[in-house]
PDB file of all heavy atoms in Angstrom:
ATOM      1  N   GLY A   7     -42.173 -29.786 -91.966  1.00  0.00           N
ATOM      2  CA  GLY A   7     -42.743 -28.445 -92.315  1.00  0.00           C
ATOM      3  C   GLY A   7     -42.094 -27.987 -93.639  1.00  0.00           C
ATOM      4  O   GLY A   7     -41.602 -28.687 -94.428  1.00  0.00           O
ATOM      5  N   ALA A   8     -42.201 -26.683 -93.770  1.00  0.00           N
ATOM      6  CA  ALA A   8     -41.675 -26.011 -94.923  1.00  0.00           C
ATOM      7  C   ALA A   8     -41.206 -24.584 -94.565  1.00  0.00           C
ATOM      8  O   ALA A   8     -41.845 -23.984 -93.717  1.00  0.00           O
ATOM      9  CB  ALA A   8     -42.569 -25.973 -96.115  1.00  0.00           C
ATOM     10  N   ILE A   9     -40.180 -24.098 -95.287  1.00  0.00           N
ATOM     11  CA  ILE A   9     -39.768 -22.616 -95.156  1.00  0.00           C
ATOM     12  C   ILE A   9     -39.631 -22.016 -96.477  1.00  0.00           C
ATOM     13  O   ILE A   9     -39.110 -22.635 -97.420  1.00  0.00           O
ATOM     14  CB  ILE A   9     -38.352 -22.571 -94.497  1.00  0.00           C
ATOM     15  CG1 ILE A   9     -38.401 -23.248 -93.041  1.00  0.00           C
ATOM     16  CG2 ILE A   9     -37.943 -21.048 -94.348  1.00  0.00           C
ATOM     17  CD1 ILE A   9     -37.015 -23.229 -92.361  1.00  0.00           C
ATOM     18  N   GLY A  10     -40.314 -20.980 -96.732  1.00  0.00           N
ATOM     19  CA  GLY A  10     -40.425 -20.350 -98.022  1.00  0.00           C
ATOM     20  C   GLY A  10     -40.759 -18.867 -98.108  1.00  0.00           C
ATOM     21  O   GLY A  10     -40.637 -18.197 -97.041  1.00  0.00           O
ATOM     22  N   VAL A  11     -41.180 -18.381 -99.326  1.00  0.00           N
ATOM     23  CA  VAL A  11     -41.456 -16.931 -99.509  1.00  0.00           C
ATOM     24  C   VAL A  11     -42.865 -16.712 -99.058  1.00  0.00           C
ATOM     25  O   VAL A  11     -43.790 -17.486 -99.394  1.00  0.00           O
ATOM     26  CB  VAL A  11     -41.393 -16.731-101.039  1.00  0.00           C
ATOM     27  CG1 VAL A  11     -41.712 -15.316-101.332  1.00  0.00           C
ATOM     28  CG2 VAL A  11     -39.884 -16.909-101.511  1.00  0.00           C
ATOM     29  N   LEU A  12     -43.036 -15.596 -98.337  1.00  0.00           N
ATOM     30  CA  LEU A  12     -44.316 -15.158 -97.845  1.00  0.00           C
ATOM     31  C   LEU A  12     -45.295 -14.770 -99.009  1.00  0.00           C
ATOM     32  O   LEU A  12     -44.931 -13.881 -99.844  1.00  0.00           O
ATOM     33  CB  LEU A  12     -44.146 -14.005 -96.930  1.00  0.00           C
ATOM     34  CG  LEU A  12     -45.416 -13.595 -96.211  1.00  0.00           C
ATOM     35  CD1 LEU A  12     -46.078 -14.565 -95.341  1.00  0.00           C
ATOM     36  CD2 LEU A  12     -45.176 -12.254 -95.359  1.00  0.00           C
ATOM     37  N   ASP A  13     -46.314 -15.524 -99.208  1.00  0.00           N
ATOM     38  CA  ASP A  13     -47.189 -15.213-100.346  1.00  0.00           C
ATOM     39  C   ASP A  13     -48.592 -14.756 -99.967  1.00  0.00           C
ATOM     40  O   ASP A  13     -49.485 -14.939-100.689  1.00  0.00           O
ATOM     41  CB  ASP A  13     -47.351 -16.582-101.256  1.00  0.00           C
ATOM     42  CG  ASP A  13     -47.829 -17.740-100.467  1.00  0.00           C
ATOM     43  OD1 ASP A  13     -48.119 -17.591 -99.263  1.00  0.00           O
ATOM     44  OD2 ASP A  13     -48.111 -18.781-100.991  1.00  0.00           O
ATOM     45  N   ARG A  14     -48.616 -14.299 -98.699  1.00  0.00           N
ATOM     46  CA  ARG A  14     -49.959 -13.777 -98.209  1.00  0.00           C
ATOM     47  C   ARG A  14     -49.610 -12.566 -97.349  1.00  0.00           C
ATOM     48  O   ARG A  14     -48.542 -12.352 -96.839  1.00  0.00           O
ATOM     49  CB  ARG A  14     -50.657 -14.819 -97.407  1.00  0.00           C
ATOM     50  CG  ARG A  14     -49.829 -15.601 -96.366  1.00  0.00           C
ATOM     51  CD  ARG A  14     -50.664 -16.668 -95.708  1.00  0.00           C
ATOM     52  NE  ARG A  14     -49.870 -17.417 -94.661  1.00  0.00           N
ATOM     53  CZ  ARG A  14     -49.447 -18.587 -94.803  1.00  0.00           C
ATOM     54  NH1 ARG A  14     -49.573 -19.215 -95.937  1.00  0.00           N
ATOM     55  NH2 ARG A  14     -48.743 -19.145 -93.900  1.00  0.00           N
ATOM     56  N   PRO A  15     -50.643 -11.716 -97.080  1.00  0.00           N
ATOM     57  CA  PRO A  15     -50.333 -10.503 -96.367  1.00  0.00           C
ATOM     58  C   PRO A  15     -50.028 -10.567 -94.897  1.00  0.00           C
ATOM     59  O   PRO A  15     -49.605  -9.640 -94.268  1.00  0.00           O
ATOM     60  CB  PRO A  15     -51.627  -9.595 -96.644  1.00  0.00           C
ATOM     61  CG  PRO A  15     -52.682 -10.616 -96.814  1.00  0.00           C
ATOM     62  CD  PRO A  15     -52.055 -11.817 -97.557  1.00  0.00           C
ATOM     63  N   SER A  16     -50.406 -11.697 -94.273  1.00  0.00           N
ATOM     64  CA  SER A  16     -50.186 -11.803 -92.855  1.00  0.00           C
ATOM     65  C   SER A  16     -49.959 -13.327 -92.535  1.00  0.00           C
ATOM     66  O   SER A  16     -49.970 -14.262 -93.419  1.00  0.00           O
ATOM     67  CB  SER A  16     -51.366 -11.299 -92.056  1.00  0.00           C
ATOM     68  OG  SER A  16     -52.495 -12.002 -92.424  1.00  0.00           O
ATOM     69  N   HIS A  17     -49.787 -13.680 -91.157  1.00  0.00           N
ATOM     70  CA  HIS A  17     -49.620 -14.985 -90.615  1.00  0.00           C
ATOM     71  C   HIS A  17     -48.489 -15.751 -91.334  1.00  0.00           C
ATOM     72  O   HIS A  17     -48.701 -16.802 -91.953  1.00  0.00           O
ATOM     73  CB  HIS A  17     -50.954 -15.785 -90.880  1.00  0.00           C
ATOM     74  CG  HIS A  17     -52.160 -15.091 -90.308  1.00  0.00           C
ATOM     75  ND1 HIS A  17     -52.312 -14.622 -88.965  1.00  0.00           N
ATOM     76  CD2 HIS A  17     -53.194 -14.570 -90.890  1.00  0.00           C
ATOM     77  CE1 HIS A  17     -53.448 -14.009 -88.805  1.00  0.00           C
ATOM     78  NE2 HIS A  17     -53.971 -13.999 -89.960  1.00  0.00           N
ATOM     79  N   PRO A  18     -47.261 -15.313 -91.178  1.00  0.00           N
ATOM     80  CA  PRO A  18     -46.120 -15.979 -91.829  1.00  0.00           C
ATOM     81  C   PRO A  18     -45.790 -17.282 -91.204  1.00  0.00           C
ATOM     82  O   PRO A  18     -45.131 -18.142 -91.794  1.00  0.00           O
ATOM     83  CB  PRO A  18     -44.951 -14.986 -91.642  1.00  0.00           C
ATOM     84  CG  PRO A  18     -45.397 -14.198 -90.481  1.00  0.00           C
ATOM     85  CD  PRO A  18     -46.872 -14.052 -90.519  1.00  0.00           C
ATOM     86  N   VAL A  19     -46.055 -17.417 -89.885  1.00  0.00           N
ATOM     87  CA  VAL A  19     -45.798 -18.684 -89.238  1.00  0.00           C
ATOM     88  C   VAL A  19     -47.122 -19.433 -88.813  1.00  0.00           C
ATOM     89  O   VAL A  19     -48.039 -18.806 -88.210  1.00  0.00           O
ATOM     90  CB  VAL A  19     -44.993 -18.556 -87.898  1.00  0.00           C
ATOM     91  CG1 VAL A  19     -44.750 -19.868 -87.179  1.00  0.00           C
ATOM     92  CG2 VAL A  19     -43.741 -17.830 -88.263  1.00  0.00           C
ATOM     93  N   THR A  20     -47.362 -20.657 -89.238  1.00  0.00           N
ATOM     94  CA  THR A  20     -48.617 -21.315 -88.950  1.00  0.00           C
ATOM     95  C   THR A  20     -48.437 -22.797 -88.940  1.00  0.00           C
ATOM     96  O   THR A  20     -47.294 -23.293 -89.207  1.00  0.00           O
ATOM     97  CB  THR A  20     -49.636 -20.926 -90.101  1.00  0.00           C
ATOM     98  OG1 THR A  20     -50.921 -21.386 -89.644  1.00  0.00           O
ATOM     99  CG2 THR A  20     -49.270 -21.629 -91.390  1.00  0.00           C
ATOM    100  N   VAL A  21     -49.473 -23.557 -88.553  1.00  0.00           N
ATOM    101  CA  VAL A  21     -49.544 -25.047 -88.556  1.00  0.00           C
ATOM    102  C   VAL A  21     -50.791 -25.384 -89.433  1.00  0.00           C
ATOM    103  O   VAL A  21     -51.693 -24.503 -89.630  1.00  0.00           O
ATOM    104  CB  VAL A  21     -49.714 -25.682 -87.333  1.00  0.00           C
ATOM    105  CG1 VAL A  21     -48.305 -25.471 -86.537  1.00  0.00           C
ATOM    106  CG2 VAL A  21     -50.770 -25.155 -86.408  1.00  0.00           C
ATOM    107  N   TYR A  22     -50.725 -26.515 -90.020  1.00  0.00           N
ATOM    108  CA  TYR A  22     -51.881 -27.014 -90.768  1.00  0.00           C
ATOM    109  C   TYR A  22     -52.592 -28.107 -89.923  1.00  0.00           C
ATOM    110  O   TYR A  22     -51.956 -28.864 -89.317  1.00  0.00           O
ATOM    111  CB  TYR A  22     -51.436 -27.614 -92.114  1.00  0.00           C
ATOM    112  CG  TYR A  22     -51.139 -26.527 -93.136  1.00  0.00           C
ATOM    113  CD1 TYR A  22     -49.947 -25.747 -92.952  1.00  0.00           C
ATOM    114  CD2 TYR A  22     -52.051 -26.230 -94.138  1.00  0.00           C
ATOM    115  CE1 TYR A  22     -49.797 -24.720 -93.899  1.00  0.00           C
ATOM    116  CE2 TYR A  22     -51.742 -25.213 -95.002  1.00  0.00           C
ATOM    117  CZ  TYR A  22     -50.663 -24.484 -94.984  1.00  0.00           C
ATOM    118  OH  TYR A  22     -50.439 -23.465 -95.850  1.00  0.00           O
ATOM    119  N   ILE A  23     -53.849 -28.138 -90.001  1.00  0.00           N
ATOM    120  CA  ILE A  23     -54.729 -28.978 -89.244  1.00  0.00           C
ATOM    121  C   ILE A  23     -55.430 -30.075 -90.170  1.00  0.00           C
ATOM    122  O   ILE A  23     -55.964 -29.669 -91.197  1.00  0.00           O
ATOM    123  CB  ILE A  23     -55.825 -28.283 -88.444  1.00  0.00           C
ATOM    124  CG1 ILE A  23     -55.166 -27.217 -87.490  1.00  0.00           C
ATOM    125  CG2 ILE A  23     -56.751 -29.202 -87.718  1.00  0.00           C
ATOM    126  CD1 ILE A  23     -56.148 -26.274 -86.910  1.00  0.00           C
ATOM    127  N   GLN A  24     -55.307 -31.297 -89.881  1.00  0.00           N
ATOM    128  CA  GLN A  24     -55.844 -32.306 -90.687  1.00  0.00           C
ATOM    129  C   GLN A  24     -57.348 -32.255 -90.830  1.00  0.00           C
ATOM    130  O   GLN A  24     -58.016 -32.161 -89.844  1.00  0.00           O
ATOM    131  CB  GLN A  24     -55.471 -33.752 -90.099  1.00  0.00           C
ATOM    132  CG  GLN A  24     -55.756 -34.899 -91.070  1.00  0.00           C
ATOM    133  CD  GLN A  24     -54.524 -35.409 -91.760  1.00  0.00           C
ATOM    134  OE1 GLN A  24     -53.536 -34.632 -91.930  1.00  0.00           O
ATOM    135  NE2 GLN A  24     -54.582 -36.510 -92.373  1.00  0.00           N
ATOM    136  N   SER A  25     -57.892 -32.383 -92.069  1.00  0.00           N
ATOM    137  CA  SER A  25     -59.238 -32.328 -92.291  1.00  0.00           C
ATOM    138  C   SER A  25     -59.630 -33.339 -93.432  1.00  0.00           C
ATOM    139  O   SER A  25     -58.956 -33.190 -94.475  1.00  0.00           O
ATOM    140  CB  SER A  25     -59.743 -30.929 -92.592  1.00  0.00           C
ATOM    141  OG  SER A  25     -61.181 -31.008 -92.953  1.00  0.00           O
ATOM    142  N   ALA A  26     -60.612 -34.152 -93.248  1.00  0.00           N
ATOM    143  CA  ALA A  26     -61.073 -35.022 -94.368  1.00  0.00           C
ATOM    144  C   ALA A  26     -62.123 -34.317 -95.151  1.00  0.00           C
ATOM    145  O   ALA A  26     -62.442 -34.836 -96.249  1.00  0.00           O
ATOM    146  CB  ALA A  26     -61.610 -36.276 -93.850  1.00  0.00           C
ATOM    147  N   ASP A  27     -62.726 -33.222 -94.739  1.00  0.00           N
ATOM    148  CA  ASP A  27     -63.772 -32.455 -95.447  1.00  0.00           C
ATOM    149  C   ASP A  27     -63.494 -31.005 -95.314  1.00  0.00           C
ATOM    150  O   ASP A  27     -63.963 -30.340 -94.291  1.00  0.00           O
ATOM    151  CB  ASP A  27     -65.110 -32.854 -94.882  1.00  0.00           C
ATOM    152  CG  ASP A  27     -66.283 -32.352 -95.649  1.00  0.00           C
ATOM    153  OD1 ASP A  27     -66.119 -31.359 -96.344  1.00  0.00           O
ATOM    154  OD2 ASP A  27     -67.412 -32.852 -95.555  1.00  0.00           O
ATOM    155  N   PHE A  28     -62.701 -30.414 -96.238  1.00  0.00           N
ATOM    156  CA  PHE A  28     -62.429 -29.030 -96.269  1.00  0.00           C
ATOM    157  C   PHE A  28     -63.659 -28.188 -96.201  1.00  0.00           C
ATOM    158  O   PHE A  28     -63.730 -27.169 -95.440  1.00  0.00           O
ATOM    159  CB  PHE A  28     -61.619 -28.617 -97.492  1.00  0.00           C
ATOM    160  CG  PHE A  28     -60.161 -29.004 -97.347  1.00  0.00           C
ATOM    161  CD1 PHE A  28     -59.759 -30.063 -96.510  1.00  0.00           C
ATOM    162  CD2 PHE A  28     -59.280 -28.415 -98.141  1.00  0.00           C
ATOM    163  CE1 PHE A  28     -58.408 -30.350 -96.404  1.00  0.00           C
ATOM    164  CE2 PHE A  28     -57.900 -28.809 -98.113  1.00  0.00           C
ATOM    165  CZ  PHE A  28     -57.443 -29.696 -97.189  1.00  0.00           C
ATOM    166  N   GLY A  29     -64.710 -28.519 -96.946  1.00  0.00           N
ATOM    167  CA  GLY A  29     -65.858 -27.670 -96.910  1.00  0.00           C
ATOM    168  C   GLY A  29     -66.584 -27.593 -95.612  1.00  0.00           C
ATOM    169  O   GLY A  29     -66.979 -26.470 -95.142  1.00  0.00           O
ATOM    170  N   ALA A  30     -66.628 -28.728 -94.949  1.00  0.00           N
ATOM    171  CA  ALA A  30     -67.272 -28.755 -93.624  1.00  0.00           C
ATOM    172  C   ALA A  30     -66.462 -28.010 -92.639  1.00  0.00           C
ATOM    173  O   ALA A  30     -67.073 -27.242 -91.772  1.00  0.00           O
ATOM    174  CB  ALA A  30     -67.573 -30.173 -93.191  1.00  0.00           C
TER     175      ALA A  30
END
């Protein structure tokens, strides 16, 4: 993972989900 500076207004802890087609 990664630990860093909060650059958005909410959701400081999250996971990323694998996707081959971001648009879909």
Side-chain angles (χ1 to χ4, degrees):
I9 302 175
V11 175
L12 184 63
D13 59 355
R14 51 183 179 254
S16 60
H17 309 300
V19 179
T20 191
V21 291
Y22 282 75
I23 301 171
Q24 187 98 345
S25 173
D27 187 337
F28 281 18

